[in-house]
Amino acid sequence: MGTLDITKETKLSGPNEIAIINITGSLDAHTAPQMDEILSELVHNKKNKLLVNFIHLEYISSAGMGLFVGWIDTIRDQGGDIHMIQLKPNVMKVFQILGFDKIFKIFKNEKDAIDAFL
Amino acid sequence: MNEVKHQKRKSLKTRFIVMVSMLICLILVLVGIVINNQVREQVITQMKKRGEALAKNIAANSMEALLTGDELSLGVYVDKIIEEPSIIYAMILDDHGRVITHSNLKVKKGFQFEDRISLKSVNSEVPLIQDDGYSDEFGDYIDVTMPMKRGDSKIGLVRIGFSQQEIETASTRLRNTIFIIACVGLFGGIAITWVLVSRVIKPLRQLTRGVEIVGSGNLDFRINLSSQDELGQLANSFNTMTGKLKTAQQTLIEQERLKHELQIAQQIQASLLPREFPKVEGADVQAFYRAAKEVGGDYFDFINISPTQIGFVIADVSGKGVPGSLGMVVTRSIFRMQALTGGTAGEVLTRTNELVYQEIKRGIFVTIFYAILDIPLKRLNCASAGHNPPVLFHKEMTSWIKLDGLALGVDKGPIFNKTLKENTIQLTPGDIFLMYTDGVSEAMNLKSEEFGENRLASIVRRAGSLPLAECLKLVQKEIEQFVGNVPQSDDITIVGLKVR
């Protein structure tokens, strides 16, 4: 079990405001609650255009996957979405085996991910 | 219980008061005795001095009268002296010790005393005080002898006797005074002690009560003591301890709860798995399962669909503990029903997904691989819902059965159905089909390296010619060796099929 660091930024403003979440480390059963809190807060504040940057994420477990799966419906119901960028190969592989690359929108870079929101 | 405590508290106060009282009494008694003796001595000394002075005075005054034989005057002097209450007797004697005049009229002139004291008195040439002779209920008399001299010759003497009666009176009065002071002191002492002890007892009582409350189980209670002294510190320390106890208790409760949950999950888990391996015509079936401490929830199953078809399924649920186990139970039931209903592997998974999606909690998903074996034809119809690609050993080579598919419980249907790809493989004698869960590929050693699919494949290649049971045993052994002492974090499940 590792540690997780989460930082947030905002891009654009008003109805187009996008919340960018940078995750570093390991998203597993131990650290999932941290991420859960962040997502919960954002959704509660109707910030549902989320961009998650995976560049520094070394490892994701089924608990971490389950976290995104758990929130995606609520976020989409609110009219938002989760766009993911820069997944490391080992993390991408997990998404592909589970078929989650068909559920979540994965982009090559930040620009594409942001554009897709507009 | 309170009665006993009440008594204890009272006795603390009582003990203090008794001890202080005793101390005060002791001091006062000692002081009293010392003062009394000192005073007594002083008074006696004074008395002796006065006696001497008086005798001297009389002696001086009666000289003339004695010389002139004026007995009348001498008698007057003596009468005057005797007026003093503490003077018992007074007499004037001639140089031979014969009475000239005596305060006691019964003593005739010319009488000669012959007792020891008197003899000593008569023979004395110098002033003499004797207090070791006569006595009465008040104590020894003080006998003062004052010789009257003219030049060097003794012409007579004056003798006065003092009783200690007056001393007694004075002594008694002193004693009474001291007694009164003692009583006042004692009561004052008791009163002050009472107040002081009460002051201390009150916070002590608060403290005791607080401890009782916390002791009875109320760990939220904090003792509120206003004093800053040692008792206040004790209260603070106690409150800190209570806080820590509460945290520890909560942690313990939480731990117990988790442990209990774990046990339930494990029991559920154990009930899900097949107890024996099916006998398939022309093939061997073996499975290996080892649960992790923190139950994740793998399961495998064999479905007797028809006399010519048998289904092999392996699954892994994402949630841990009881939620995971329940998700697995639900999935297993739904899947079993759908599998027995019939259809291709893909169709079964699709129907299963639709139902499972509605049943299991958001955020929990299940990966599953389903293979239907056509027993006579040895054909394997496979479909995967997000599960690890199984290994296929054929002619000393291994390959992966990679099939697209979304895990169960994530999407209601459209995306699941679109993603799902099924396939049919023809097996030949000697082929091994091995399904496994990620507990195998992700098994970690001390260096945090993963066991990996490739390592699994290479073992199968090496042991492919061995009987299936031995092959699986080898895989098991290699995993154990690789992992070493690192505790298992996920269930390890392997299901194997070898065509004879």
Side-chain angles (χ1 to χ4, degrees):
Chain A
M1 300 283 119
T3 55
L4 184 71
D5 266 307
I6 310 171
T7 61
K8 290 190 286 179
E9 308 165 32
T10 340
K11 280 245 153 79
L12 307 181
S13 56
N16 289 328
E17 185 180 308
I18 299 169
I20 301 182
I21 306 165
N22 302 297
I23 47 180
T24 303
S26 163
L27 188 57
D28 50 45
H30 184 64
T31 57
Q34 269 175 272
M35 187 66 181
D36 192 52
E37 228 184 276
I38 303 277
L39 291 175
S40 175
E41 198 194 312
L42 287 166
V43 171
H44 193 70
N45 293 330
K46 300 280 191 284
K47 307 251 183 283
N48 45 48
K49 290 191 166 59
L50 306 178
L51 198 161
V52 185
N53 192 339
F54 283 71
I55 185 123
H56 294 300
L57 190 75
E58 305 293 334
Y59 173 80
I60 190 162
S61 76
S62 55
M65 301 303 272
L67 191 65
F68 290 115
V69 167
W71 280 108
I72 192 68
D73 284 346
T74 313
I75 289 172
R76 282 183 178 156
D77 285 344
Q78 272 188 8
D81 207 346
I82 302 178
H83 290 181
M84 301 175 175
I85 59 170
Q86 306 192 80
L87 278 67
K88 281 197 153 61
N90 61 321
V91 173
M92 191 62 190
K93 189 170 139 205
V94 176
F95 272 81
Q96 283 167 339
I97 293 180
L98 289 171
F100 285 8
D101 53 337
K102 309 282 190 295
I103 296 287
F104 297 102
K105 304 210 173 70
I106 300 174
F107 299 88
K108 289 216 165 48
N109 53 52
E110 195 180 284
K111 184 179 180 304
D112 289 349
I114 292 175
D115 285 345
F117 270 124
L118 302 168
Chain B
M1 198 54 185
N2 268 322
E3 288 252 329
V4 175
K5 298 225 169 83
H6 219 61
Q7 284 170 2
K8 277 208 166 130
R9 255 182 268 122
K10 277 217 154 93
S11 86
L12 201 68
K13 215 189 237 178
T14 317
R15 251 193 295 167
F16 260 104
I17 287 170
V18 165
M19 287 202 301
V20 170
S21 309
M22 276 168 58
L23 192 67
I24 292 175
C25 276
L26 193 70
I27 292 172
L28 290 174
V29 162
L30 282 173
V31 167
I33 290 173
V34 166
I35 290 178
N36 194 34
N37 286 346
Q38 290 277 30
V39 168
R40 205 188 175 89
E41 263 183 54
Q42 288 281 5
V43 172
I44 290 174
T45 311
Q46 281 299 337
M47 197 158 254
K48 285 183 181 170
K49 278 210 179 112
R50 196 158 61 85
E52 213 181 306
L54 191 62
K56 211 178 196 165
N57 195 15
I58 297 166
N61 289 341
S62 10
M63 271 285 239
E64 223 193 286
L66 184 67
L67 288 169
T68 56
D70 181 1
E71 288 172 20
L72 206 64
S73 297
L74 293 176
V76 167
Y77 284 136
V78 165
D79 286 339
K80 271 215 81 197
I81 296 165
I82 206 73
E83 276 168 18
E84 227 186 276
S86 48
I87 298 180
I88 300 292
Y89 56 81
M91 62 186 97
I92 298 176
L93 310 170
D94 66 13
D95 56 329
H96 291 297
R98 287 186 292 245
V99 173
I100 299 176
T101 177
H102 198 286
S103 57
N104 186 350
L105 296 166
K106 289 205 189 119
V107 179
K108 292 280 180 254
K109 178 174 174 313
F111 182 76
Q112 204 152 9
F113 291 99
E114 285 177 350
D115 60 88
R116 174 176 62 91
I117 303 292
S118 302
L119 287 173
K120 239 179 145 185
S121 168
V122 164
N123 290 326
S124 178
E125 296 287 317
V126 293
L128 179 67
I129 297 175
Q130 294 175 90
D131 56 3
D132 55 343
Y134 320 118
S135 60
D136 63 5
E137 73 259 34
F138 296 112
D140 300 327
Y141 286 175
I142 300 172
D143 184 290
V144 181
T145 304
M146 186 61 66
M148 291 191 280
K149 286 193 158 167
R150 204 171 100 184
D152 273 338
S153 58
K154 194 161 89 172
I155 54 168
L157 57 92
V158 175
R159 224 177 126 193
I160 307 176
F162 292 86
S163 115
Q164 297 203 32
Q165 178 188 356
E166 212 182 274
I167 300 170
E168 261 327 299
T169 316
S171 215
T172 309
R173 239 179 299 145
L174 185 68
R175 263 204 296 270
N176 289 346
T177 311
I178 290 175
F179 184 72
I180 291 169
I181 295 174
C183 286
V184 169
L186 195 67
F187 284 122
I190 291 175
I192 292 172
T193 309
W194 184 287
V195 169
L196 283 175
V197 174
S198 293
R199 277 257 184 88
V200 174
I201 291 283
K202 183 160 164 280
L204 208 63
R205 212 174 281 169
Q206 271 180 288
L207 205 61
T208 311
R209 231 195 115 245
V211 172
E212 271 170 36
I213 292 176
V214 170
S216 72
N218 183 353
L219 293 181
D220 289 311
F221 185 79
R222 296 290 176 268
I223 302 175
N224 202 353
L225 232 53
S226 47
S227 53
Q228 298 297 332
D229 61 7
E230 285 85 349
L231 288 177
Q233 282 173 359
L234 183 61
N236 286 340
S237 301
F238 188 76
N239 286 342
T240 309
M241 184 193 76
T242 308
K244 289 197 180 144
L245 262 175
K246 175 145 196 206
T247 313
Q249 188 196 53
Q250 285 172 332
T251 310
L252 194 68
I253 290 173
E254 184 63 25
Q255 279 178 352
E256 284 298 301
R257 191 182 66 77
L258 284 172
K259 207 170 85 170
H260 189 60
E261 229 190 61
L262 211 65
Q263 282 173 342
I264 294 175
Q266 281 171 342
Q267 283 168 0
I268 295 173
Q269 190 67 10
S271 68
L272 296 181
L273 303 176
R275 268 160 256 280
E276 38 177 43
F277 307 133
K279 301 268 179 292
V280 178
E281 170 115 34
D284 289 323
V285 177
Q286 282 286 316
F288 164 64
Y289 170 76
R290 204 170 72 179
K293 274 219 109 147
E294 290 221 0
V295 170
D298 283 1
Y299 108 90
F300 67 94
D301 207 355
F302 309 106
I303 323 270
N304 294 315
I305 305 167
S306 74
T308 56
Q309 286 178 311
I310 180 165
F312 297 84
V313 66
I314 193 169
D316 185 354
V317 74
S318 69
K320 289 203 192 292
V322 172
S325 289
L326 288 178
M328 190 50 92
V329 170
V330 163
T331 304
R332 179 180 175 275
S333 306
I334 292 174
F335 175 81
R336 239 197 127 84
M337 173 89 92
Q338 295 309 316
L340 289 168
T341 306
T344 66
E347 285 163 3
V348 170
L349 286 187
T350 303
R351 295 197 306 260
T352 303
N353 175 64
E354 215 179 295
L355 294 166
V356 165
Y357 176 79
Q358 290 166 38
E359 291 294 322
I360 64 177
K361 200 171 103 167
R362 272 313 72 123
I364 295 196
F365 55 87
V366 184
T367 67
I368 194 165
F369 193 95
Y370 184 35
I372 304 176
L373 176 70
D374 182 315
I375 303 173
L377 296 176
K378 298 292 183 295
R379 274 215 274 257
L380 213 55
N381 167 229
C382 313
S384 170
H387 199 78
N388 313 65
V391 183
L392 180 66
F393 175 77
H394 173 73
K395 287 195 175 12
E396 289 166 40
M397 303 237 287
T398 55
S399 59
W400 302 101
I401 305 176
K402 283 200 174 107
L403 293 167
D404 284 345
L406 181 63
L408 299 178
V410 177
D411 168 72
K412 189 164 165 45
I415 304 180
F416 184 89
N417 302 345
K418 207 169 60 164
T419 319
L420 191 75
K421 301 274 180 292
E422 65 176 309
N423 201 3
T424 303
I425 307 167
Q426 178 65 58
L427 298 173
T428 59
D431 285 355
I432 297 177
F433 168 71
L434 209 72
M435 301 190 293
Y436 61 94
T437 57
D438 59 11
V440 172
S441 48
E442 289 174 13
M444 283 240 243
N445 66 2
L446 280 160
K447 291 184 248 170
S448 291
E449 292 168 344
E450 286 188 349
F451 190 78
E453 295 88 1
N454 292 331
R455 202 170 262 129
L456 176 66
S458 78
I459 300 168
V460 173
R461 280 196 299 272
R462 260 187 285 137
S465 50
L466 298 172
L468 187 59
E470 310 230 346
C471 178
L472 286 201
K473 273 210 185 71
L474 198 66
V475 173
Q476 183 186 340
K477 204 178 79 174
E478 294 266 336
I479 294 173
E480 276 163 17
Q481 267 180 357
F482 177 83
V483 160
N485 286 329
V486 178
Q488 193 183 327
S489 63
D490 200 357
D491 293 357
I492 290 176
T493 311
I494 304 177
V495 178
L497 167 73
K498 181 165 184 172
V499 180
R500 284 195 230 119

